[in-house]
Amino acid sequence: MPDSTTARAAPAARPLMPTGVGYADGDYVPVEQLSVSVLDYGFTRSDVTYDVVHVWDGRFFRLEHHLDRFLKSMAALRMAIPHDRDAIRAILMECVRRTGLREAYVAMVCTRGRPPPGVRDLRQCRNRFMAYALPFVWIASPEKQRSGLSAVIATRPRIPPQSVDPTVKNYHWLDMDRALFEAYDAGADTVILPSLEGTVTEGPGFNAFAVIGDVVVTPDSGVLEGITRQTVIDLCRRKGIAIEVRPVTLAEFRDADEIFIASTAGGVMPVTRLDGRILGNGAPGAVTSRIRDLYWAWHRDAADTTPIAYED
Ligand SMILES: Cc1ncc(COP(=O)(O)O)c(C=O)c1O
């Protein structure tokens, strides 16, 4: 037994910050204090990439998939930071640990940063890494998911992939924000954007799927390769549900038996009304509901989850 006079007192437990924790430049701060300069090109030019992973029941889901995509996005934008993959993973873990949250929305962000004074050469910018953990974010609340969402197809197309690569996760959201106002004006919950060619792309924060007969279809290009989208593809293949990754025309989408959207911010979410048309009997369809259940069940799979080390 240690001598009580010589034993060091255990460090006082740090209070948890359940409203959110941010990280930048070596410091962990309450998320409200995490900020970016108005002169950062991430702000003035949307020259930024990011990724979002969620924590469910105390475990990251498919964290390595998100780290792969984030590192690939940074390389595509020719960004470099002083943290390697292991360091980023440790920072994300620490952000969550300091919130104490069992369900969390965890973002990693890299901005172009600022060039030295008087310089405008992008190659001289100091790229800036930030991360934060917040309480879980739902694109559609669990209550809304029980009834299903209503969506419209936007009148204007998504930014073409030839101009801004949608597989590099980005903040070029003006097309999607404008489309969201179309949805609000139509009394709908959300919006799905067409491509210039008249196929389906994606929506603000999610990939789109249709069920046509007993086949699940989702666009093959012109979209972010969502990790939730990949999980749906993987689980369909594992469970013998027919899945096609191919161009999806607006006409067949409008005519689909079921529609659902997929995102880290909420998982698999049924759409039961499109442009005012009620799908099926107006309730989430059988295929969508099955995929949604399988998706959440996957969160108990140790191979694809990383437990948070909550202990101090
Ligand atoms: C434009 C866009 N598409 C799709 C998604 C879904 O991707 P993930 O499943 O990786 O969250 C997102 C997520 O934010 C997104 O912003």
Side-chain angles (χ1 to χ4, degrees):
M1 219 176 143
D3 179 333
S4 62
T5 55
T6 54
R8 274 191 296 150
R14 211 184 285 113
L16 294 173
M17 290 186 270
T19 55
V21 167
Y23 168 91
D25 301 322
D27 292 325
Y28 293 92
V29 293
V31 73
E32 301 75 25
Q33 291 173 21
L34 192 64
S35 62
V36 60
S37 163
V38 290
L39 302 177
D40 189 311
Y41 284 0
F43 179 68
T44 57
R45 301 182 177 190
S46 280
D47 191 346
V48 55
T49 188
Y50 74 114
D51 216 290
V52 176
V53 54
H54 71 211
V55 170
W56 191 256
D57 199 15
R59 310 169 80 91
F60 281 113
F61 183 61
R62 300 200 121 180
L63 174 59
E64 299 309 316
H65 288 64
H66 288 275
L67 289 172
D68 283 345
R69 186 173 65 182
F70 183 57
L71 294 171
K72 222 169 110 192
S73 293
M74 276 200 302
L77 298 183
R78 299 165 68 168
M79 290 174 170
I81 55 172
H83 310 295
D84 64 10
R85 183 188 187 101
D86 289 345
I88 297 171
R89 188 189 302 104
I91 290 167
L92 300 178
M93 184 70 85
E94 184 60 14
C95 284
V96 180
R97 197 183 68 73
R98 289 182 186 227
T99 66
L101 292 166
R102 307 276 311 169
E103 273 81 38
Y105 172 103
V106 186
M108 57 207 102
V109 184
C110 185
T111 68
R112 181 68 61 198
R114 292 169 60 183
V119 174
R120 288 177 73 77
D121 186 332
L122 296 179
R123 293 166 299 184
Q124 294 189 42
C125 290
R126 188 176 71 86
N127 304 153
R128 190 145 186 271
F129 174 77
M130 285 161 280
Y132 55 90
L134 299 174
F136 194 88
V137 170
W138 296 94
I139 285 183
S141 66
E143 300 73 55
K144 185 91 221 172
Q145 290 181 46
R146 271 190 275 284
S147 57
L149 285 85
S150 59
V152 293
I153 308 262
T155 53
R156 288 173 195 258
R158 177 104 173 88
I159 297 172
Q162 294 85 348
S163 303
V164 175
D165 182 354
T167 68
V168 174
K169 198 164 158 66
N170 64 69
Y171 285 148
H172 292 266
W173 269 51
L174 283 189
D175 56 347
M176 295 199 282
D177 279 3
R178 188 167 64 174
L180 266 176
F181 276 100
E182 279 190 50
Y184 302 151
D185 291 348
D189 300 310
T190 194
V191 64
I192 293 160
L193 285 82
S195 67
L196 277 172
E197 295 78 26
T199 58
V200 174
T201 69
E202 57 191 341
F206 57 80
N207 290 110
F209 291 76
V211 182
I212 301 173
D214 54 8
V215 181
V216 179
V217 298
T218 195
D220 58 340
S221 61
V223 299
L224 176 71
E225 289 168 352
I227 306 303
T228 321
R229 169 183 178 272
Q230 189 58 51
T231 305
V232 170
I233 294 169
D234 292 347
L235 72 79
C236 283
R237 289 182 178 149
R238 280 193 199 182
K239 298 291 175 182
I241 301 169
I243 171 101
E244 292 177 2
V245 182
R246 60 160 172 85
V248 179
T249 67
L250 289 179
E252 61 183 336
F253 196 72
R254 285 206 166 94
D255 227 29
D257 298 301
E258 299 178 28
I259 290 175
F260 62 90
I261 59 175
S263 172
T264 295
V268 172
M269 296 165 276
V271 172
T272 50
R273 191 183 281 256
L274 183 69
D275 282 342
R277 177 175 87 86
I278 294 172
L279 283 91
N281 61 7
V287 178
T288 302
S289 301
R290 179 168 178 225
I291 290 174
R292 184 164 173 258
D293 290 349
L294 289 168
Y295 172 79
W296 287 109
W298 198 326
H299 287 64
R300 294 194 291 272
D301 185 334
D304 264 318
T305 57
T306 312
I308 307 295
Y310 287 104
E311 297 307 312
D312 219 340

mmCIF file of all heavy atoms in Angstrom, residues 188-223:
data_model
loop_
_atom_site.group_PDB
_atom_site.id
_atom_site.type_symbol
_atom_site.label_atom_id
_atom_site.label_comp_id
_atom_site.label_asym_id
_atom_site.label_seq_id
_atom_site.Cartn_x
_atom_site.Cartn_y
_atom_site.Cartn_z
ATOM 1 N N ALA A 188 -41.389 20.995 -48.083
ATOM 2 C CA ALA A 188 -40.733 19.685 -47.960
ATOM 3 C C ALA A 188 -39.578 19.771 -46.968
ATOM 4 O O ALA A 188 -39.120 20.858 -46.602
ATOM 5 C CB ALA A 188 -40.227 19.239 -49.328
ATOM 6 N N ASP A 189 -39.107 18.591 -46.542
ATOM 7 C CA ASP A 189 -38.025 18.554 -45.557
ATOM 8 C C ASP A 189 -36.660 18.734 -46.193
ATOM 9 O O ASP A 189 -35.762 19.301 -45.597
ATOM 10 C CB ASP A 189 -38.023 17.203 -44.826
ATOM 11 C CG ASP A 189 -39.313 16.952 -44.093
ATOM 12 O OD1 ASP A 189 -39.734 17.852 -43.348
ATOM 13 O OD2 ASP A 189 -39.898 15.864 -44.276
ATOM 14 N N THR A 190 -36.489 18.195 -47.391
ATOM 15 C CA THR A 190 -35.161 18.255 -47.981
ATOM 16 C C THR A 190 -35.242 18.182 -49.507
ATOM 17 O O THR A 190 -36.340 18.203 -50.088
ATOM 18 C CB THR A 190 -34.246 17.163 -47.391
ATOM 19 O OG1 THR A 190 -32.891 17.462 -47.758
ATOM 20 C CG2 THR A 190 -34.607 15.768 -47.879
ATOM 21 N N VAL A 191 -34.072 18.095 -50.128
ATOM 22 C CA VAL A 191 -34.004 18.242 -51.573
ATOM 23 C C VAL A 191 -32.929 17.321 -52.145
ATOM 24 O O VAL A 191 -31.923 17.049 -51.474
ATOM 25 C CB VAL A 191 -33.739 19.726 -51.920
ATOM 26 C CG1 VAL A 191 -32.384 20.186 -51.394
ATOM 27 C CG2 VAL A 191 -33.864 20.019 -53.387
ATOM 28 N N ILE A 192 -33.164 16.866 -53.356
ATOM 29 C CA ILE A 192 -32.179 16.038 -54.058
ATOM 30 C C ILE A 192 -31.862 16.760 -55.364
ATOM 31 O O ILE A 192 -32.782 17.236 -56.053
ATOM 32 C CB ILE A 192 -32.744 14.614 -54.273
ATOM 33 C CG1 ILE A 192 -32.875 13.930 -52.893
ATOM 34 C CG2 ILE A 192 -31.847 13.803 -55.222
ATOM 35 C CD1 ILE A 192 -33.795 12.766 -52.838
ATOM 36 N N LEU A 193 -30.582 16.880 -55.690
ATOM 37 C CA LEU A 193 -30.206 17.689 -56.846
ATOM 38 C C LEU A 193 -29.958 16.815 -58.071
ATOM 39 O O LEU A 193 -29.342 15.744 -57.962
ATOM 40 C CB LEU A 193 -28.947 18.518 -56.534
ATOM 41 C CG LEU A 193 -29.210 19.715 -55.620
ATOM 42 C CD1 LEU A 193 -29.237 19.300 -54.166
ATOM 43 C CD2 LEU A 193 -28.174 20.814 -55.824
ATOM 44 N N PRO A 194 -30.423 17.295 -59.238
ATOM 45 C CA PRO A 194 -30.130 16.571 -60.477
ATOM 46 C C PRO A 194 -28.735 16.930 -60.972
ATOM 47 O O PRO A 194 -28.136 17.902 -60.512
ATOM 48 C CB PRO A 194 -31.186 17.119 -61.444
ATOM 49 C CG PRO A 194 -31.430 18.509 -60.968
ATOM 50 C CD PRO A 194 -31.238 18.500 -59.469
ATOM 51 N N SER A 195 -28.243 16.148 -61.926
ATOM 52 C CA SER A 195 -27.011 16.524 -62.620
ATOM 53 C C SER A 195 -27.401 17.320 -63.860
ATOM 54 O O SER A 195 -28.588 17.376 -64.239
ATOM 55 C CB SER A 195 -26.250 15.269 -63.043
ATOM 56 O OG SER A 195 -26.999 14.586 -64.039
ATOM 57 N N LEU A 196 -26.409 17.883 -64.522
ATOM 58 C CA LEU A 196 -26.669 18.579 -65.790
ATOM 59 C C LEU A 196 -27.272 17.634 -66.814
ATOM 60 O O LEU A 196 -28.001 18.037 -67.708
ATOM 61 C CB LEU A 196 -25.350 19.130 -66.352
ATOM 62 C CG LEU A 196 -24.867 20.463 -65.807
ATOM 63 C CD1 LEU A 196 -23.460 20.743 -66.327
ATOM 64 C CD2 LEU A 196 -25.821 21.584 -66.216
ATOM 65 N N GLU A 197 -26.957 16.343 -66.687
ATOM 66 C CA GLU A 197 -27.413 15.344 -67.668
ATOM 67 C C GLU A 197 -28.798 14.788 -67.337
ATOM 68 O O GLU A 197 -29.298 13.909 -68.045
ATOM 69 C CB GLU A 197 -26.419 14.174 -67.738
ATOM 70 C CG GLU A 197 -25.036 14.528 -68.265
ATOM 71 C CD GLU A 197 -24.150 15.222 -67.231
ATOM 72 O OE1 GLU A 197 -24.371 14.998 -66.022
ATOM 73 O OE2 GLU A 197 -23.268 16.012 -67.622
ATOM 74 N N GLY A 198 -29.393 15.251 -66.238
ATOM 75 C CA GLY A 198 -30.736 14.759 -65.903
ATOM 76 C C GLY A 198 -30.728 13.443 -65.141
ATOM 77 O O GLY A 198 -31.686 12.678 -65.193
ATOM 78 N N THR A 199 -29.649 13.192 -64.416
ATOM 79 C CA THR A 199 -29.642 12.030 -63.522
ATOM 80 C C THR A 199 -29.660 12.534 -62.076
ATOM 81 O O THR A 199 -29.511 13.730 -61.813
ATOM 82 C CB THR A 199 -28.391 11.156 -63.749
ATOM 83 O OG1 THR A 199 -27.236 11.966 -63.541
ATOM 84 C CG2 THR A 199 -28.360 10.580 -65.157
ATOM 85 N N VAL A 200 -29.816 11.582 -61.154
ATOM 86 C CA VAL A 200 -29.849 11.923 -59.731
ATOM 87 C C VAL A 200 -28.418 12.108 -59.230
ATOM 88 O O VAL A 200 -27.518 11.358 -59.628
ATOM 89 C CB VAL A 200 -30.523 10.770 -58.950
ATOM 90 C CG1 VAL A 200 -30.464 11.008 -57.444
ATOM 91 C CG2 VAL A 200 -31.958 10.593 -59.412
ATOM 92 N N THR A 201 -28.177 13.108 -58.371
ATOM 93 C CA THR A 201 -26.869 13.179 -57.702
ATOM 94 C C THR A 201 -27.074 12.903 -56.210
ATOM 95 O O THR A 201 -27.235 11.741 -55.814
ATOM 96 C CB THR A 201 -26.139 14.517 -57.963
ATOM 97 O OG1 THR A 201 -26.811 15.590 -57.315
ATOM 98 C CG2 THR A 201 -25.973 14.792 -59.446
ATOM 99 N N GLU A 202 -27.109 13.947 -55.411
ATOM 100 C CA GLU A 202 -27.164 13.787 -53.958
ATOM 101 C C GLU A 202 -27.858 15.003 -53.372
ATOM 102 O O GLU A 202 -28.379 15.845 -54.107
ATOM 103 C CB GLU A 202 -25.737 13.642 -53.399
ATOM 104 C CG GLU A 202 -24.847 14.826 -53.775
ATOM 105 C CD GLU A 202 -23.365 14.611 -53.486
ATOM 106 O OE1 GLU A 202 -23.024 13.726 -52.697
ATOM 107 O OE2 GLU A 202 -22.550 15.362 -54.060
ATOM 108 N N GLY A 203 -27.863 15.105 -52.069
ATOM 109 C CA GLY A 203 -28.523 16.241 -51.430
ATOM 110 C C GLY A 203 -27.645 16.822 -50.340
ATOM 111 O O GLY A 203 -26.504 16.378 -50.145
ATOM 112 N N PRO A 204 -28.146 17.843 -49.637
ATOM 113 C CA PRO A 204 -27.352 18.511 -48.617
ATOM 114 C C PRO A 204 -26.998 17.579 -47.453
ATOM 115 O O PRO A 204 -27.766 17.426 -46.506
ATOM 116 C CB PRO A 204 -28.232 19.678 -48.167
ATOM 117 C CG PRO A 204 -29.588 19.383 -48.694
ATOM 118 C CD PRO A 204 -29.465 18.439 -49.834
ATOM 119 N N GLY A 205 -25.832 16.957 -47.593
ATOM 120 C CA GLY A 205 -25.330 16.096 -46.521
ATOM 121 C C GLY A 205 -25.670 14.636 -46.659
ATOM 122 O O GLY A 205 -25.475 13.867 -45.704
ATOM 123 N N PHE A 206 -26.136 14.202 -47.831
ATOM 124 C CA PHE A 206 -26.505 12.776 -47.932
ATOM 125 C C PHE A 206 -26.413 12.263 -49.370
ATOM 126 O O PHE A 206 -26.464 13.032 -50.321
ATOM 127 C CB PHE A 206 -27.919 12.540 -47.390
ATOM 128 C CG PHE A 206 -28.988 13.371 -48.067
ATOM 129 C CD1 PHE A 206 -29.521 13.006 -49.298
ATOM 130 C CD2 PHE A 206 -29.475 14.523 -47.456
ATOM 131 C CE1 PHE A 206 -30.510 13.764 -49.921
ATOM 132 C CE2 PHE A 206 -30.460 15.302 -48.074
ATOM 133 C CZ PHE A 206 -30.973 14.920 -49.310
ATOM 134 N N ASN A 207 -26.296 10.958 -49.500
ATOM 135 C CA ASN A 207 -26.435 10.256 -50.783
ATOM 136 C C ASN A 207 -27.866 9.750 -50.910
ATOM 137 O O ASN A 207 -28.574 9.603 -49.919
ATOM 138 C CB ASN A 207 -25.465 9.071 -50.853
ATOM 139 C CG ASN A 207 -24.013 9.521 -50.959
ATOM 140 O OD1 ASN A 207 -23.230 9.365 -50.025
ATOM 141 N ND2 ASN A 207 -23.657 10.078 -52.096
ATOM 142 N N ALA A 208 -28.258 9.510 -52.170
ATOM 143 C CA ALA A 208 -29.649 9.108 -52.429
ATOM 144 C C ALA A 208 -29.694 7.690 -53.003
ATOM 145 O O ALA A 208 -28.814 7.292 -53.777
ATOM 146 C CB ALA A 208 -30.280 10.093 -53.409
ATOM 147 N N PHE A 209 -30.743 6.973 -52.618
ATOM 148 C CA PHE A 209 -30.970 5.603 -53.084
ATOM 149 C C PHE A 209 -32.436 5.465 -53.493
ATOM 150 O O PHE A 209 -33.310 6.109 -52.897
ATOM 151 C CB PHE A 209 -30.720 4.587 -51.967
ATOM 152 C CG PHE A 209 -29.279 4.457 -51.555
ATOM 153 C CD1 PHE A 209 -28.681 5.431 -50.775
ATOM 154 C CD2 PHE A 209 -28.525 3.361 -51.930
ATOM 155 C CE1 PHE A 209 -27.347 5.324 -50.388
ATOM 156 C CE2 PHE A 209 -27.199 3.230 -51.552
ATOM 157 C CZ PHE A 209 -26.606 4.216 -50.777
ATOM 158 N N ALA A 210 -32.669 4.592 -54.482
ATOM 159 C CA ALA A 210 -34.052 4.229 -54.812
ATOM 160 C C ALA A 210 -34.156 2.713 -54.771
ATOM 161 O O ALA A 210 -33.161 1.999 -54.997
ATOM 162 C CB ALA A 210 -34.413 4.743 -56.206
ATOM 163 N N VAL A 211 -35.339 2.238 -54.481
ATOM 164 C CA VAL A 211 -35.611 0.806 -54.587
ATOM 165 C C VAL A 211 -36.594 0.651 -55.738
ATOM 166 O O VAL A 211 -37.691 1.235 -55.713
ATOM 167 C CB VAL A 211 -36.218 0.245 -53.273
ATOM 168 C CG1 VAL A 211 -36.440 -1.264 -53.395
ATOM 169 C CG2 VAL A 211 -35.325 0.580 -52.079
ATOM 170 N N ILE A 212 -36.154 -0.079 -56.762
ATOM 171 C CA ILE A 212 -36.978 -0.261 -57.951
ATOM 172 C C ILE A 212 -37.232 -1.760 -58.074
ATOM 173 O O ILE A 212 -36.293 -2.529 -58.309
ATOM 174 C CB ILE A 212 -36.264 0.298 -59.204
ATOM 175 C CG1 ILE A 212 -35.976 1.807 -59.008
ATOM 176 C CG2 ILE A 212 -37.090 0.044 -60.462
ATOM 177 C CD1 ILE A 212 -35.128 2.440 -60.100
ATOM 178 N N GLY A 213 -38.472 -2.157 -57.839
ATOM 179 C CA GLY A 213 -38.748 -3.597 -57.711
ATOM 180 C C GLY A 213 -38.016 -4.074 -56.466
ATOM 181 O O GLY A 213 -38.185 -3.505 -55.391
ATOM 182 N N ASP A 214 -37.161 -5.098 -56.646
ATOM 183 C CA ASP A 214 -36.396 -5.499 -55.452
ATOM 184 C C ASP A 214 -34.911 -5.156 -55.592
ATOM 185 O O ASP A 214 -34.060 -5.741 -54.932
ATOM 186 C CB ASP A 214 -36.610 -6.995 -55.139
ATOM 187 C CG ASP A 214 -36.306 -7.867 -56.341
ATOM 188 O OD1 ASP A 214 -35.797 -7.329 -57.349
ATOM 189 O OD2 ASP A 214 -36.560 -9.093 -56.267
ATOM 190 N N VAL A 215 -34.628 -4.164 -56.456
ATOM 191 C CA VAL A 215 -33.233 -3.758 -56.658
ATOM 192 C C VAL A 215 -33.002 -2.370 -56.053
ATOM 193 O O VAL A 215 -33.769 -1.439 -56.308
ATOM 194 C CB VAL A 215 -32.887 -3.735 -58.167
ATOM 195 C CG1 VAL A 215 -31.432 -3.349 -58.374
ATOM 196 C CG2 VAL A 215 -33.192 -5.084 -58.814
ATOM 197 N N VAL A 216 -31.930 -2.266 -55.280
ATOM 198 C CA VAL A 216 -31.536 -0.967 -54.729
ATOM 199 C C VAL A 216 -30.574 -0.329 -55.729
ATOM 200 O O VAL A 216 -29.646 -0.983 -56.209
ATOM 201 C CB VAL A 216 -30.834 -1.156 -53.364
ATOM 202 C CG1 VAL A 216 -30.391 0.183 -52.789
ATOM 203 C CG2 VAL A 216 -31.748 -1.887 -52.391
ATOM 204 N N VAL A 217 -30.809 0.940 -56.062
ATOM 205 C CA VAL A 217 -29.913 1.626 -57.006
ATOM 206 C C VAL A 217 -29.417 2.926 -56.374
ATOM 207 O O VAL A 217 -30.127 3.563 -55.591
ATOM 208 C CB VAL A 217 -30.608 1.929 -58.366
ATOM 209 C CG1 VAL A 217 -31.025 0.661 -59.067
ATOM 210 C CG2 VAL A 217 -31.782 2.866 -58.204
ATOM 211 N N THR A 218 -28.191 3.284 -56.756
ATOM 212 C CA THR A 218 -27.625 4.556 -56.287
ATOM 213 C C THR A 218 -26.649 5.066 -57.347
ATOM 214 O O THR A 218 -26.011 4.259 -58.039
ATOM 215 C CB THR A 218 -26.943 4.392 -54.897
ATOM 216 O OG1 THR A 218 -26.727 5.685 -54.320
ATOM 217 C CG2 THR A 218 -25.611 3.666 -54.971
ATOM 218 N N PRO A 219 -26.549 6.399 -57.504
ATOM 219 C CA PRO A 219 -25.665 6.934 -58.553
ATOM 220 C C PRO A 219 -24.213 6.503 -58.371
ATOM 221 O O PRO A 219 -23.714 6.388 -57.250
ATOM 222 C CB PRO A 219 -25.799 8.441 -58.381
ATOM 223 C CG PRO A 219 -27.088 8.646 -57.663
ATOM 224 C CD PRO A 219 -27.284 7.451 -56.795
ATOM 225 N N ASP A 220 -23.568 6.278 -59.523
ATOM 226 C CA ASP A 220 -22.172 5.825 -59.500
ATOM 227 C C ASP A 220 -21.176 6.972 -59.524
ATOM 228 O O ASP A 220 -20.016 6.793 -59.185
ATOM 229 C CB ASP A 220 -21.900 4.897 -60.694
ATOM 230 C CG ASP A 220 -22.199 5.574 -62.038
ATOM 231 O OD1 ASP A 220 -22.954 6.572 -62.053
ATOM 232 O OD2 ASP A 220 -21.687 5.108 -63.069
ATOM 233 N N SER A 221 -21.630 8.177 -59.944
ATOM 234 C CA SER A 221 -20.659 9.267 -60.088
ATOM 235 C C SER A 221 -21.353 10.607 -59.849
ATOM 236 O O SER A 221 -22.585 10.671 -59.743
ATOM 237 C CB SER A 221 -20.035 9.233 -61.486
ATOM 238 O OG SER A 221 -21.057 9.401 -62.434
ATOM 239 N N GLY A 222 -20.525 11.641 -59.765
ATOM 240 C CA GLY A 222 -21.084 12.975 -59.541
ATOM 241 C C GLY A 222 -21.518 13.192 -58.111
ATOM 242 O O GLY A 222 -22.284 14.116 -57.819
ATOM 243 N N VAL A 223 -21.026 12.343 -57.207
ATOM 244 C CA VAL A 223 -21.452 12.422 -55.797
ATOM 245 C C VAL A 223 -20.255 12.180 -54.883
ATOM 246 O O VAL A 223 -19.239 11.611 -55.312
ATOM 247 C CB VAL A 223 -22.533 11.353 -55.468
ATOM 248 C CG1 VAL A 223 -23.772 11.563 -56.311
ATOM 249 C CG2 VAL A 223 -22.008 9.928 -55.645
#
